[in-house]
Amino acid sequence: MTRPKSTPGSSRPNRPSSGRQRPKPTPVDTREHSEPEEPETLDDTPAYSGPPLAIHTIGLGKSYGDAPALLPLDLQIEERERVSLIGHNGSGKTTLIRMLTGMLEPSEGSATVASHPIASLEARAAVSYLSDQPVFYDDLTVWEHLEYIARLHGTEDWEQQAVDLIEMVGLTPRADDLPMTFSRGLKQKAAITMAFVRPFELMLIDEPFVGLDRAGREALLELLSLAHADGAALVVATHELSSVREGQRLIALSGGEVTYDGSPDEADVNALTEGIQPGEL
């Protein structure tokens, strides 16, 4: 199996360095004052001073009327971290991911991805999203989708990468077909190629194994491992429990709130997926 061609020193499809703009220091006011001025305080939230973060949420929440889908969440996921996100249906996984992609507006709180506010152009450029319900243009073939996405995001050597990605997931004979005509599994394979043909610093993945055959599942796991080895942060929401151990960190949601955040090796993954909290075991 041929893996996607990379630029020198890379181990997966080409991805640029973060290129993130760090906040500039506030200029020192050298004017004389008759009395000392009290510093302006915007809120009581302490400034973050830890490692660089791929995701940082402060009180991020979503409600539909009186029904909360995600309770206010403070979350920090570091750069290069690989996280598995689990929980029962309706636990808040998809709501969180869709807010981080900028596709869903929060009801409260704030968040940044790759140090950029969610939904900003910079955030959209840094984040690749692999959905469980891929969307395609009706009149574009698989190859034309890949060309459009790669050119839009400035992928170098995109043609070779596209060829290799199509081969990895087993879509070479269908490259000139319309993905709208595909089965559920083939649509997911096409979506995988489109998620990886573009540069990204963070990939958000929502139930990616649905409909995939064994070959497709193995190809996706290999691509995720290559992306992580090359420095990308990954957040994978999944019911595929065998893939949870691939992550460095496990976060479980139930009823819109975090019920576990720690090592996958120390968790009862089956119980957490069903919404059973650790204290109830």
Side-chain angles (χ1 to χ4, degrees):
M1 180 177 293
T2 304
R3 68 177 176 82
K5 186 176 180 181
S6 305
T7 54
S10 175
S11 57
R12 69 167 187 86
N14 180 47
R15 184 179 67 87
S17 59
S18 64
R20 282 175 278 186
Q21 298 295 319
R22 299 298 181 189
K24 295 181 179 179
T26 303
V28 177
D29 190 350
T30 58
R31 295 173 299 172
E32 295 184 359
H33 299 283
S34 57
E35 295 181 3
E37 293 186 354
E38 293 294 330
E40 183 180 2
T41 302
L42 298 179
D43 55 44
D44 295 328
T45 304
Y48 177 77
S49 59
L53 297 177
I55 297 172
H56 189 190
T57 74
I58 301 175
L60 186 72
K62 181 66 180 178
S63 298
Y64 296 95
D66 295 330
L70 185 72
L71 297 174
L73 173 65
D74 294 333
L75 180 64
Q76 298 171 0
I77 294 177
E78 296 180 12
E79 291 181 351
R80 299 174 176 264
E81 195 168 10
R82 184 169 180 172
V83 177
S84 297
L85 183 64
I86 63 172
H88 58 87
N89 290 334
S91 62
K93 303 189 305 296
T94 296
T95 298
L96 173 59
I97 286 179
R98 288 175 63 84
M99 285 195 291
L100 293 175
T101 62
M103 300 174 64
L104 185 64
E105 185 176 354
S107 300
E108 58 184 311
S110 62
T112 60
V113 291
S115 297
H116 303 295
I118 53 174
S120 66
L121 290 177
E122 295 84 357
R124 293 178 186 274
V127 177
S128 185
Y129 174 46
L130 179 56
S131 171
D132 64 331
Q133 297 179 336
V135 177
F136 306 99
Y137 292 101
D138 293 343
D139 56 348
L140 293 185
T141 66
V142 173
W143 182 261
E144 289 168 338
H145 274 91
L146 290 172
E147 179 177 5
Y148 174 71
I149 294 169
R151 290 186 183 277
L152 181 66
H153 290 280
T155 305
E156 298 179 9
D157 195 19
W158 72 266
E159 290 177 303
Q160 184 60 58
Q161 292 193 42
V163 167
D164 293 337
L165 283 165
I166 289 172
E167 182 179 345
M168 281 192 75
V169 300
L171 282 182
T172 301
R174 307 295 301 273
D176 293 323
D177 293 343
L178 301 174
M180 290 296 296
T181 66
F182 288 176
S183 67
R184 176 70 179 85
L186 291 182
K187 284 182 179 178
Q188 191 65 10
K189 289 182 177 182
I192 290 169
T193 65
M194 295 167 199
F196 282 91
V197 79
R198 51 151 297 182
F200 59 89
E201 297 179 52
L202 166 67
M203 180 172 280
L204 299 170
I205 307 126
D206 193 4
E207 299 293 350
F209 301 101
V210 176
L212 287 180
D213 56 18
R214 181 176 179 179
R217 182 181 179 280
E218 290 178 352
L220 175 56
L221 287 174
E222 181 179 354
L223 284 166
L224 291 173
S225 294
L226 290 170
H228 183 243
D230 194 38
L234 307 174
V235 177
V236 185
T238 181
H239 280 94
E240 183 81 8
L241 301 186
S242 60
S243 70
V244 170
R245 306 297 179 187
E246 302 284 341
Q248 303 164 302
R249 176 178 173 190
L250 175 65
I251 297 175
L253 295 176
S254 180
E257 61 181 336
V258 174
T259 56
Y260 180 85
D261 186 350
S263 169
D265 298 328
E266 300 174 3
D268 186 334
V269 177
N270 288 285
L272 291 170
T273 301
E274 294 299 321
I276 300 174
Q277 300 188 20
E280 300 172 348
L281 297 176

